[in-house]
Amino acid sequence: MLKYYVKTTEAFKRLRTDQDGVVSFEYIIVAACIIGAVVAAFGTTAGGAIATALTGGINAITAAFTAAV
């Protein structure tokens, strides 16, 4: 456990002093914002508004295809 703590601490030290690490950290922040937006749009369960609309659309397409065949 101590070995992982030391490795993590050293990685954070390198990240703090490395200018390229700042860009990586910004990507992490942007990814977190995108995940938050997707969760807000679709909801955390399958009952979100967009998920309900997509399910209804897919069901309508499937019914139309089944009726045509």
Side-chain angles (χ1 to χ4, degrees):
M1 182 75 172
L2 181 62
K3 180 173 75 171
Y4 295 118
Y5 174 75
V6 170
K7 284 185 177 183
T8 304
T9 305
E10 291 300 318
F12 280 131
K13 285 180 184 176
R14 285 192 310 271
L15 184 64
R16 186 173 31 193
T17 59
D18 188 14
Q19 290 299 321
D20 293 333
V22 173
V23 175
S24 299
F25 190 68
E26 289 171 354
Y27 285 139
I28 292 170
I29 293 172
V30 169
C33 291
I34 291 172
I35 290 170
V38 169
V39 167
F42 288 99
T44 56
T45 62
I50 294 177
T52 304
L54 288 174
T55 303
I58 290 171
N59 288 339
I61 291 170
T62 304
F65 183 75
T66 304
V69 174

